[in-house]
Amino acid sequence: MSDVILRVDNVTKNFSVRRPGRGGRSQIQAVGGVSFEIRRGETLGIVGESGCGKSTLARCIVQLLPVTSGTVEFNGSPLTGLSRRQLRPHRREMQLVFQDPFASLNPRRTVADIVAEPLRVHRFGTRSEIEARVRELFTLVGLDVNSLVRYPHEFSGGQRQRIGIARSLALNPQLVVADEPVSALDVSVQAQVLNLMAELQEKLGLTYLFIAHDLGVVRHVSDRVGVMYLGELVEMGPADPLYDAPLHPYTEALLSVAPELDDGRARTRERIVISGDVPDPADKPSGCAFHPRCPVAQDRCRIEKPSLIHAGDGRLVACHFPRRR
């Protein structure tokens, strides 16, 4: 069996939207030609500003959204273009943890019913076997089985996210796509949920695609990190080298404004302020999409779009003038 569990090849997702005051409709490219691989047992983190296409990419991977072009392969089998019936066996093996732990849980159902739903849909077993599996899952994520009769609003935010994680693990998936799973939680609760996910990965042999905008969280949980800007990957590589010596000016700017531990020492990075606003996705700049805000942009950047190329030591960067390590 191949060591690669997920292969995303040149995935693009466009949305057709009406343009107020302009008449007609136009295409907005939310994800533009993203490619990467994830190996079994690793955690790949995807980071970027809000609106860069991270969540859309996650939904394309698990086929909640059809891709406009490109392919997604899971365990060597293509997922793109399959019908709902053809996708059914693959859905057992890949699950999604949503960002909002309250909105993703049906408020009219008990948490026991919520966690049991995927087991019933996929005909896991008898009623007693399903009930036993639900109790097992609650224990696994650190919740009291006596609370199974309660409703989502009776739990805290961190507990609700644990319920969402339990539901995602019900069918023993191989891949879990976590879409900003701790961004709606308090900092102390974030640490508890992240530690839980790490324990579950070690215990169950899970593979994670972890999406977030918090740079510190992504570094803490990820083996490799990909940085997205305006729907495209601009840099990818092992977590520590990428954070210690970013190659792309956008990555460097993001890291320069990330909070650092105040231990009495001076900041190790010079703060870089990115000028201007994020361009309109419906009217992307020519050449490199980052060039209107880039502090080192040159004429070539305005004309020629850079490709994501190898920069040695497992690093990839899409920049004509990458920073020196």
Side-chain angles (χ1 to χ4, degrees), residues 9-45:
D9 185 18
N10 202 30
V11 164
T12 297
K13 177 60 182 177
N14 298 336
F15 292 99
S16 178
V17 298
R18 189 180 300 277
R19 303 292 289 172
R22 300 186 185 183
R25 305 183 71 86
S26 62
Q27 295 290 313
I28 289 183
Q29 189 178 78
V31 178
V34 171
S35 300
F36 60 81
E37 295 178 348
I38 304 180
R39 291 177 171 79
R40 297 180 189 280
E42 81 165 336
T43 299
L44 174 65

PDB file of all heavy atoms in Angstrom, residues 9-45:
ATOM      1  N   ASP A   9      -4.291  17.206  -6.724  1.00  0.00           N
ATOM      2  CA  ASP A   9      -3.557  17.559  -7.932  1.00  0.00           C
ATOM      3  C   ASP A   9      -4.267  18.682  -8.694  1.00  0.00           C
ATOM      4  O   ASP A   9      -5.319  18.466  -9.297  1.00  0.00           O
ATOM      5  CB  ASP A   9      -3.402  16.335  -8.833  1.00  0.00           C
ATOM      6  CG  ASP A   9      -2.524  16.602 -10.058  1.00  0.00           C
ATOM      7  OD1 ASP A   9      -1.772  17.602 -10.044  1.00  0.00           O
ATOM      8  OD2 ASP A   9      -2.585  15.822 -11.020  1.00  0.00           O
ATOM      9  N   ASN A  10      -3.683  19.883  -8.613  1.00  0.00           N
ATOM     10  CA  ASN A  10      -4.137  21.029  -9.406  1.00  0.00           C
ATOM     11  C   ASN A  10      -5.634  21.313  -9.223  1.00  0.00           C
ATOM     12  O   ASN A  10      -6.362  21.587 -10.180  1.00  0.00           O
ATOM     13  CB  ASN A  10      -3.835  20.798 -10.890  1.00  0.00           C
ATOM     14  CG  ASN A  10      -3.776  22.092 -11.682  1.00  0.00           C
ATOM     15  OD1 ASN A  10      -3.420  23.140 -11.152  1.00  0.00           O
ATOM     16  ND2 ASN A  10      -4.143  22.037 -12.945  1.00  0.00           N
ATOM     17  N   VAL A  11      -6.090  21.271  -7.981  1.00  0.00           N
ATOM     18  CA  VAL A  11      -7.512  21.477  -7.684  1.00  0.00           C
ATOM     19  C   VAL A  11      -7.869  22.962  -7.769  1.00  0.00           C
ATOM     20  O   VAL A  11      -7.219  23.816  -7.162  1.00  0.00           O
ATOM     21  CB  VAL A  11      -7.873  20.919  -6.297  1.00  0.00           C
ATOM     22  CG1 VAL A  11      -9.221  21.465  -5.811  1.00  0.00           C
ATOM     23  CG2 VAL A  11      -7.921  19.407  -6.347  1.00  0.00           C
ATOM     24  N   THR A  12      -8.911  23.229  -8.531  1.00  0.00           N
ATOM     25  CA  THR A  12      -9.436  24.585  -8.688  1.00  0.00           C
ATOM     26  C   THR A  12     -10.929  24.567  -8.377  1.00  0.00           C
ATOM     27  O   THR A  12     -11.640  23.630  -8.744  1.00  0.00           O
ATOM     28  CB  THR A  12      -9.226  25.088 -10.131  1.00  0.00           C
ATOM     29  OG1 THR A  12      -7.822  25.158 -10.389  1.00  0.00           O
ATOM     30  CG2 THR A  12      -9.837  26.457 -10.333  1.00  0.00           C
ATOM     31  N   LYS A  13     -11.393  25.604  -7.666  1.00  0.00           N
ATOM     32  CA  LYS A  13     -12.817  25.733  -7.376  1.00  0.00           C
ATOM     33  C   LYS A  13     -13.260  27.165  -7.675  1.00  0.00           C
ATOM     34  O   LYS A  13     -12.762  28.113  -7.072  1.00  0.00           O
ATOM     35  CB  LYS A  13     -13.114  25.390  -5.914  1.00  0.00           C
ATOM     36  CG  LYS A  13     -14.587  25.569  -5.531  1.00  0.00           C
ATOM     37  CD  LYS A  13     -15.502  24.690  -6.363  1.00  0.00           C
ATOM     38  CE  LYS A  13     -16.963  24.897  -6.014  1.00  0.00           C
ATOM     39  NZ  LYS A  13     -17.858  24.088  -6.873  1.00  0.00           N
ATOM     40  N   ASN A  14     -14.182  27.305  -8.622  1.00  0.00           N
ATOM     41  CA  ASN A  14     -14.749  28.602  -8.979  1.00  0.00           C
ATOM     42  C   ASN A  14     -16.207  28.673  -8.533  1.00  0.00           C
ATOM     43  O   ASN A  14     -16.925  27.676  -8.540  1.00  0.00           O
ATOM     44  CB  ASN A  14     -14.687  28.824 -10.492  1.00  0.00           C
ATOM     45  CG  ASN A  14     -13.259  28.845 -11.021  1.00  0.00           C
ATOM     46  OD1 ASN A  14     -12.321  29.134 -10.283  1.00  0.00           O
ATOM     47  ND2 ASN A  14     -13.090  28.519 -12.281  1.00  0.00           N
ATOM     48  N   PHE A  15     -16.621  29.876  -8.169  1.00  0.00           N
ATOM     49  CA  PHE A  15     -18.021  30.132  -7.845  1.00  0.00           C
ATOM     50  C   PHE A  15     -18.545  31.209  -8.786  1.00  0.00           C
ATOM     51  O   PHE A  15     -17.863  32.214  -9.044  1.00  0.00           O
ATOM     52  CB  PHE A  15     -18.177  30.604  -6.398  1.00  0.00           C
ATOM     53  CG  PHE A  15     -17.857  29.551  -5.380  1.00  0.00           C
ATOM     54  CD1 PHE A  15     -16.617  29.525  -4.758  1.00  0.00           C
ATOM     55  CD2 PHE A  15     -18.795  28.589  -5.033  1.00  0.00           C
ATOM     56  CE1 PHE A  15     -16.316  28.565  -3.814  1.00  0.00           C
ATOM     57  CE2 PHE A  15     -18.504  27.621  -4.088  1.00  0.00           C
ATOM     58  CZ  PHE A  15     -17.257  27.606  -3.479  1.00  0.00           C
ATOM     59  N   SER A  16     -19.751  31.001  -9.273  1.00  0.00           N
ATOM     60  CA  SER A  16     -20.405  32.000 -10.125  1.00  0.00           C
ATOM     61  C   SER A  16     -21.229  32.931  -9.241  1.00  0.00           C
ATOM     62  O   SER A  16     -22.084  32.473  -8.473  1.00  0.00           O
ATOM     63  CB  SER A  16     -21.307  31.312 -11.152  1.00  0.00           C
ATOM     64  OG  SER A  16     -21.975  32.272 -11.948  1.00  0.00           O
ATOM     65  N   VAL A  17     -20.963  34.227  -9.304  1.00  0.00           N
ATOM     66  CA  VAL A  17     -21.650  35.203  -8.461  1.00  0.00           C
ATOM     67  C   VAL A  17     -22.151  36.369  -9.296  1.00  0.00           C
ATOM     68  O   VAL A  17     -21.596  36.689 -10.353  1.00  0.00           O
ATOM     69  CB  VAL A  17     -20.712  35.731  -7.346  1.00  0.00           C
ATOM     70  CG1 VAL A  17     -20.264  34.608  -6.429  1.00  0.00           C
ATOM     71  CG2 VAL A  17     -19.492  36.430  -7.934  1.00  0.00           C
ATOM     72  N   ARG A  18     -23.204  36.993  -8.800  1.00  0.00           N
ATOM     73  CA  ARG A  18     -23.730  38.186  -9.438  1.00  0.00           C
ATOM     74  C   ARG A  18     -22.955  39.401  -8.948  1.00  0.00           C
ATOM     75  O   ARG A  18     -22.716  39.554  -7.748  1.00  0.00           O
ATOM     76  CB  ARG A  18     -25.222  38.346  -9.124  1.00  0.00           C
ATOM     77  CG  ARG A  18     -25.914  39.443  -9.927  1.00  0.00           C
ATOM     78  CD  ARG A  18     -27.388  39.533  -9.560  1.00  0.00           C
ATOM     79  NE  ARG A  18     -28.073  38.272  -9.829  1.00  0.00           N
ATOM     80  CZ  ARG A  18     -28.525  37.937 -11.023  1.00  0.00           C
ATOM     81  NH1 ARG A  18     -28.366  38.756 -12.060  1.00  0.00           N
ATOM     82  NH2 ARG A  18     -29.147  36.784 -11.202  1.00  0.00           N
ATOM     83  N   ARG A  19     -22.569  40.277  -9.848  1.00  0.00           N
ATOM     84  CA  ARG A  19     -21.792  41.464  -9.501  1.00  0.00           C
ATOM     85  C   ARG A  19     -22.714  42.674  -9.425  1.00  0.00           C
ATOM     86  O   ARG A  19     -23.212  43.155 -10.442  1.00  0.00           O
ATOM     87  CB  ARG A  19     -20.704  41.712 -10.552  1.00  0.00           C
ATOM     88  CG  ARG A  19     -19.758  40.543 -10.755  1.00  0.00           C
ATOM     89  CD  ARG A  19     -18.891  40.311  -9.543  1.00  0.00           C
ATOM     90  NE  ARG A  19     -17.910  41.361  -9.388  1.00  0.00           N
ATOM     91  CZ  ARG A  19     -17.112  41.489  -8.329  1.00  0.00           C
ATOM     92  NH1 ARG A  19     -17.226  40.668  -7.330  1.00  0.00           N
ATOM     93  NH2 ARG A  19     -16.237  42.457  -8.275  1.00  0.00           N
ATOM     94  N   PRO A  20     -23.011  43.181  -8.227  1.00  0.00           N
ATOM     95  CA  PRO A  20     -23.917  44.320  -8.084  1.00  0.00           C
ATOM     96  C   PRO A  20     -23.428  45.531  -8.874  1.00  0.00           C
ATOM     97  O   PRO A  20     -22.253  45.912  -8.808  1.00  0.00           O
ATOM     98  CB  PRO A  20     -23.887  44.602  -6.577  1.00  0.00           C
ATOM     99  CG  PRO A  20     -23.453  43.322  -5.954  1.00  0.00           C
ATOM    100  CD  PRO A  20     -22.515  42.699  -6.934  1.00  0.00           C
ATOM    101  N   GLY A  21     -24.351  46.126  -9.636  1.00  0.00           N
ATOM    102  CA  GLY A  21     -24.032  47.341 -10.391  1.00  0.00           C
ATOM    103  C   GLY A  21     -23.304  47.102 -11.686  1.00  0.00           C
ATOM    104  O   GLY A  21     -23.083  48.030 -12.455  1.00  0.00           O
ATOM    105  N   ARG A  22     -22.904  45.851 -11.962  1.00  0.00           N
ATOM    106  CA  ARG A  22     -22.147  45.572 -13.184  1.00  0.00           C
ATOM    107  C   ARG A  22     -22.953  44.735 -14.179  1.00  0.00           C
ATOM    108  O   ARG A  22     -22.592  44.642 -15.336  1.00  0.00           O
ATOM    109  CB  ARG A  22     -20.849  44.837 -12.849  1.00  0.00           C
ATOM    110  CG  ARG A  22     -19.928  45.630 -11.914  1.00  0.00           C
ATOM    111  CD  ARG A  22     -18.605  44.911 -11.736  1.00  0.00           C
ATOM    112  NE  ARG A  22     -17.757  45.581 -10.763  1.00  0.00           N
ATOM    113  CZ  ARG A  22     -16.528  45.187 -10.456  1.00  0.00           C
ATOM    114  NH1 ARG A  22     -16.002  44.121 -11.054  1.00  0.00           N
ATOM    115  NH2 ARG A  22     -15.827  45.844  -9.556  1.00  0.00           N
ATOM    116  N   GLY A  23     -24.030  44.110 -13.703  1.00  0.00           N
ATOM    117  CA  GLY A  23     -24.834  43.282 -14.590  1.00  0.00           C
ATOM    118  C   GLY A  23     -24.186  41.940 -14.863  1.00  0.00           C
ATOM    119  O   GLY A  23     -22.960  41.807 -14.875  1.00  0.00           O
ATOM    120  N   GLY A  24     -25.023  40.911 -15.078  1.00  0.00           N
ATOM    121  CA  GLY A  24     -24.502  39.591 -15.387  1.00  0.00           C
ATOM    122  C   GLY A  24     -23.846  38.925 -14.194  1.00  0.00           C
ATOM    123  O   GLY A  24     -23.982  39.353 -13.050  1.00  0.00           O
ATOM    124  N   ARG A  25     -23.107  37.874 -14.457  1.00  0.00           N
ATOM    125  CA  ARG A  25     -22.424  37.104 -13.421  1.00  0.00           C
ATOM    126  C   ARG A  25     -20.947  36.969 -13.767  1.00  0.00           C
ATOM    127  O   ARG A  25     -20.554  37.090 -14.924  1.00  0.00           O
ATOM    128  CB  ARG A  25     -23.055  35.716 -13.279  1.00  0.00           C
ATOM    129  CG  ARG A  25     -24.558  35.732 -13.010  1.00  0.00           C
ATOM    130  CD  ARG A  25     -25.096  34.345 -12.815  1.00  0.00           C
ATOM    131  NE  ARG A  25     -24.663  33.768 -11.546  1.00  0.00           N
ATOM    132  CZ  ARG A  25     -25.293  33.956 -10.385  1.00  0.00           C
ATOM    133  NH1 ARG A  25     -26.380  34.721 -10.336  1.00  0.00           N
ATOM    134  NH2 ARG A  25     -24.855  33.393  -9.279  1.00  0.00           N
ATOM    135  N   SER A  26     -20.149  36.743 -12.758  1.00  0.00           N
ATOM    136  CA  SER A  26     -18.714  36.558 -12.974  1.00  0.00           C
ATOM    137  C   SER A  26     -18.221  35.381 -12.138  1.00  0.00           C
ATOM    138  O   SER A  26     -18.915  34.909 -11.234  1.00  0.00           O
ATOM    139  CB  SER A  26     -17.936  37.824 -12.608  1.00  0.00           C
ATOM    140  OG  SER A  26     -18.108  38.128 -11.235  1.00  0.00           O
ATOM    141  N   GLN A  27     -17.036  34.907 -12.442  1.00  0.00           N
ATOM    142  CA  GLN A  27     -16.437  33.769 -11.762  1.00  0.00           C
ATOM    143  C   GLN A  27     -15.434  34.237 -10.712  1.00  0.00           C
ATOM    144  O   GLN A  27     -14.570  35.065 -10.997  1.00  0.00           O
ATOM    145  CB  GLN A  27     -15.730  32.852 -12.757  1.00  0.00           C
ATOM    146  CG  GLN A  27     -16.656  32.179 -13.760  1.00  0.00           C
ATOM    147  CD  GLN A  27     -17.536  31.132 -13.115  1.00  0.00           C
ATOM    148  OE1 GLN A  27     -17.054  30.301 -12.332  1.00  0.00           O
ATOM    149  NE2 GLN A  27     -18.814  31.170 -13.430  1.00  0.00           N
ATOM    150  N   ILE A  28     -15.594  33.736  -9.512  1.00  0.00           N
ATOM    151  CA  ILE A  28     -14.620  33.982  -8.452  1.00  0.00           C
ATOM    152  C   ILE A  28     -13.859  32.690  -8.204  1.00  0.00           C
ATOM    153  O   ILE A  28     -14.465  31.649  -7.937  1.00  0.00           O
ATOM    154  CB  ILE A  28     -15.293  34.464  -7.158  1.00  0.00           C
ATOM    155  CG1 ILE A  28     -15.826  35.885  -7.325  1.00  0.00           C
ATOM    156  CG2 ILE A  28     -14.310  34.416  -5.992  1.00  0.00           C
ATOM    157  CD1 ILE A  28     -16.430  36.468  -6.074  1.00  0.00           C
ATOM    158  N   GLN A  29     -12.555  32.753  -8.287  1.00  0.00           N
ATOM    159  CA  GLN A  29     -11.722  31.576  -8.067  1.00  0.00           C
ATOM    160  C   GLN A  29     -11.326  31.524  -6.600  1.00  0.00           C
ATOM    161  O   GLN A  29     -10.457  32.249  -6.140  1.00  0.00           O
ATOM    162  CB  GLN A  29     -10.477  31.613  -8.951  1.00  0.00           C
ATOM    163  CG  GLN A  29      -9.689  30.317  -8.934  1.00  0.00           C
ATOM    164  CD  GLN A  29      -8.483  30.366  -9.851  1.00  0.00           C
ATOM    165  OE1 GLN A  29      -7.461  30.959  -9.517  1.00  0.00           O
ATOM    166  NE2 GLN A  29      -8.608  29.746 -11.019  1.00  0.00           N
ATOM    167  N   ALA A  30     -11.994  30.646  -5.842  1.00  0.00           N
ATOM    168  CA  ALA A  30     -11.714  30.503  -4.411  1.00  0.00           C
ATOM    169  C   ALA A  30     -10.465  29.674  -4.157  1.00  0.00           C
ATOM    170  O   ALA A  30      -9.729  29.911  -3.194  1.00  0.00           O
ATOM    171  CB  ALA A  30     -12.907  29.878  -3.706  1.00  0.00           C
ATOM    172  N   VAL A  31     -10.235  28.665  -5.005  1.00  0.00           N
ATOM    173  CA  VAL A  31      -9.039  27.817  -4.922  1.00  0.00           C
ATOM    174  C   VAL A  31      -8.472  27.720  -6.319  1.00  0.00           C
ATOM    175  O   VAL A  31      -9.202  27.418  -7.272  1.00  0.00           O
ATOM    176  CB  VAL A  31      -9.370  26.415  -4.371  1.00  0.00           C
ATOM    177  CG1 VAL A  31      -8.115  25.549  -4.343  1.00  0.00           C
ATOM    178  CG2 VAL A  31      -9.995  26.501  -2.993  1.00  0.00           C
ATOM    179  N   GLY A  32      -7.182  27.978  -6.461  1.00  0.00           N
ATOM    180  CA  GLY A  32      -6.583  28.024  -7.790  1.00  0.00           C
ATOM    181  C   GLY A  32      -5.389  27.115  -7.958  1.00  0.00           C
ATOM    182  O   GLY A  32      -4.258  27.488  -7.607  1.00  0.00           O
ATOM    183  N   GLY A  33      -5.605  25.906  -8.466  1.00  0.00           N
ATOM    184  CA  GLY A  33      -4.501  25.025  -8.829  1.00  0.00           C
ATOM    185  C   GLY A  33      -3.659  24.542  -7.674  1.00  0.00           C
ATOM    186  O   GLY A  33      -2.427  24.548  -7.750  1.00  0.00           O
ATOM    187  N   VAL A  34      -4.288  24.089  -6.587  1.00  0.00           N
ATOM    188  CA  VAL A  34      -3.561  23.635  -5.403  1.00  0.00           C
ATOM    189  C   VAL A  34      -3.187  22.161  -5.549  1.00  0.00           C
ATOM    190  O   VAL A  34      -4.020  21.332  -5.926  1.00  0.00           O
ATOM    191  CB  VAL A  34      -4.399  23.834  -4.128  1.00  0.00           C
ATOM    192  CG1 VAL A  34      -3.747  23.161  -2.926  1.00  0.00           C
ATOM    193  CG2 VAL A  34      -4.589  25.330  -3.870  1.00  0.00           C
ATOM    194  N   SER A  35      -1.940  21.840  -5.242  1.00  0.00           N
ATOM    195  CA  SER A  35      -1.452  20.455  -5.307  1.00  0.00           C
ATOM    196  C   SER A  35      -0.612  20.149  -4.069  1.00  0.00           C
ATOM    197  O   SER A  35       0.212  20.972  -3.653  1.00  0.00           O
ATOM    198  CB  SER A  35      -0.596  20.227  -6.559  1.00  0.00           C
ATOM    199  OG  SER A  35      -1.316  20.475  -7.747  1.00  0.00           O
ATOM    200  N   PHE A  36      -0.812  18.961  -3.500  1.00  0.00           N
ATOM    201  CA  PHE A  36       0.030  18.481  -2.399  1.00  0.00           C
ATOM    202  C   PHE A  36      -0.304  17.022  -2.123  1.00  0.00           C
ATOM    203  O   PHE A  36      -1.278  16.477  -2.643  1.00  0.00           O
ATOM    204  CB  PHE A  36      -0.135  19.316  -1.125  1.00  0.00           C
ATOM    205  CG  PHE A  36      -1.536  19.347  -0.571  1.00  0.00           C
ATOM    206  CD1 PHE A  36      -2.034  18.315   0.212  1.00  0.00           C
ATOM    207  CD2 PHE A  36      -2.363  20.424  -0.818  1.00  0.00           C
ATOM    208  CE1 PHE A  36      -3.310  18.332   0.726  1.00  0.00           C
ATOM    209  CE2 PHE A  36      -3.651  20.466  -0.318  1.00  0.00           C
ATOM    210  CZ  PHE A  36      -4.128  19.422   0.459  1.00  0.00           C
ATOM    211  N   GLU A  37       0.513  16.387  -1.291  1.00  0.00           N
ATOM    212  CA  GLU A  37       0.294  15.019  -0.852  1.00  0.00           C
ATOM    213  C   GLU A  37       0.382  14.958   0.659  1.00  0.00           C
ATOM    214  O   GLU A  37       1.086  15.760   1.278  1.00  0.00           O
ATOM    215  CB  GLU A  37       1.336  14.072  -1.457  1.00  0.00           C
ATOM    216  CG  GLU A  37       1.279  13.934  -2.966  1.00  0.00           C
ATOM    217  CD  GLU A  37       2.359  13.020  -3.508  1.00  0.00           C
ATOM    218  OE1 GLU A  37       3.288  12.691  -2.719  1.00  0.00           O
ATOM    219  OE2 GLU A  37       2.299  12.634  -4.686  1.00  0.00           O
ATOM    220  N   ILE A  38      -0.348  14.016   1.241  1.00  0.00           N
ATOM    221  CA  ILE A  38      -0.259  13.759   2.676  1.00  0.00           C
ATOM    222  C   ILE A  38       0.062  12.285   2.867  1.00  0.00           C
ATOM    223  O   ILE A  38      -0.579  11.419   2.265  1.00  0.00           O
ATOM    224  CB  ILE A  38      -1.567  14.098   3.417  1.00  0.00           C
ATOM    225  CG1 ILE A  38      -1.980  15.547   3.166  1.00  0.00           C
ATOM    226  CG2 ILE A  38      -1.398  13.869   4.919  1.00  0.00           C
ATOM    227  CD1 ILE A  38      -3.258  15.951   3.859  1.00  0.00           C
ATOM    228  N   ARG A  39       1.057  12.015   3.698  1.00  0.00           N
ATOM    229  CA  ARG A  39       1.444  10.632   3.974  1.00  0.00           C
ATOM    230  C   ARG A  39       0.741  10.119   5.230  1.00  0.00           C
ATOM    231  O   ARG A  39       0.339  10.895   6.081  1.00  0.00           O
ATOM    232  CB  ARG A  39       2.964  10.532   4.123  1.00  0.00           C
ATOM    233  CG  ARG A  39       3.677  10.754   2.803  1.00  0.00           C
ATOM    234  CD  ARG A  39       5.182  10.740   2.932  1.00  0.00           C
ATOM    235  NE  ARG A  39       5.819  10.755   1.617  1.00  0.00           N
ATOM    236  CZ  ARG A  39       5.956  11.847   0.880  1.00  0.00           C
ATOM    237  NH1 ARG A  39       5.528  13.016   1.329  1.00  0.00           N
ATOM    238  NH2 ARG A  39       6.525  11.780  -0.320  1.00  0.00           N
ATOM    239  N   ARG A  40       0.633   8.820   5.319  1.00  0.00           N
ATOM    240  CA  ARG A  40      -0.070   8.213   6.448  1.00  0.00           C
ATOM    241  C   ARG A  40       0.576   8.591   7.776  1.00  0.00           C
ATOM    242  O   ARG A  40       1.790   8.527   7.925  1.00  0.00           O
ATOM    243  CB  ARG A  40      -0.076   6.679   6.296  1.00  0.00           C
ATOM    244  CG  ARG A  40      -0.816   6.208   5.078  1.00  0.00           C
ATOM    245  CD  ARG A  40      -0.802   4.691   4.949  1.00  0.00           C
ATOM    246  NE  ARG A  40      -1.338   4.330   3.639  1.00  0.00           N
ATOM    247  CZ  ARG A  40      -2.633   4.295   3.355  1.00  0.00           C
ATOM    248  NH1 ARG A  40      -3.512   4.556   4.301  1.00  0.00           N
ATOM    249  NH2 ARG A  40      -3.054   3.979   2.146  1.00  0.00           N
ATOM    250  N   GLY A  41      -0.266   8.964   8.716  1.00  0.00           N
ATOM    251  CA  GLY A  41       0.211   9.254  10.061  1.00  0.00           C
ATOM    252  C   GLY A  41       0.752  10.643  10.276  1.00  0.00           C
ATOM    253  O   GLY A  41       1.086  11.000  11.414  1.00  0.00           O
ATOM    254  N   GLU A  42       0.852  11.458   9.239  1.00  0.00           N
ATOM    255  CA  GLU A  42       1.388  12.811   9.421  1.00  0.00           C
ATOM    256  C   GLU A  42       0.261  13.829   9.546  1.00  0.00           C
ATOM    257  O   GLU A  42      -0.907  13.546   9.264  1.00  0.00           O
ATOM    258  CB  GLU A  42       2.332  13.193   8.273  1.00  0.00           C
ATOM    259  CG  GLU A  42       1.664  13.673   7.015  1.00  0.00           C
ATOM    260  CD  GLU A  42       2.630  14.371   6.058  1.00  0.00           C
ATOM    261  OE1 GLU A  42       3.675  14.879   6.511  1.00  0.00           O
ATOM    262  OE2 GLU A  42       2.330  14.401   4.851  1.00  0.00           O
ATOM    263  N   THR A  43       0.636  15.015   9.964  1.00  0.00           N
ATOM    264  CA  THR A  43      -0.292  16.144  10.031  1.00  0.00           C
ATOM    265  C   THR A  43       0.215  17.244   9.121  1.00  0.00           C
ATOM    266  O   THR A  43       1.335  17.738   9.308  1.00  0.00           O
ATOM    267  CB  THR A  43      -0.410  16.690  11.464  1.00  0.00           C
ATOM    268  OG1 THR A  43      -0.916  15.665  12.325  1.00  0.00           O
ATOM    269  CG2 THR A  43      -1.354  17.885  11.510  1.00  0.00           C
ATOM    270  N   LEU A  44      -0.589  17.581   8.131  1.00  0.00           N
ATOM    271  CA  LEU A  44      -0.273  18.699   7.248  1.00  0.00           C
ATOM    272  C   LEU A  44      -1.128  19.879   7.672  1.00  0.00           C
ATOM    273  O   LEU A  44      -2.361  19.788   7.703  1.00  0.00           O
ATOM    274  CB  LEU A  44      -0.554  18.340   5.793  1.00  0.00           C
ATOM    275  CG  LEU A  44      -0.399  19.498   4.785  1.00  0.00           C
ATOM    276  CD1 LEU A  44       1.059  19.970   4.730  1.00  0.00           C
ATOM    277  CD2 LEU A  44      -0.880  19.096   3.400  1.00  0.00           C
ATOM    278  N   GLY A  45      -0.497  20.984   8.014  1.00  0.00           N
ATOM    279  CA  GLY A  45      -1.210  22.195   8.387  1.00  0.00           C
ATOM    280  C   GLY A  45      -1.315  23.140   7.202  1.00  0.00           C
ATOM    281  O   GLY A  45      -0.357  23.308   6.451  1.00  0.00           O
TER     282      GLY A  45
END
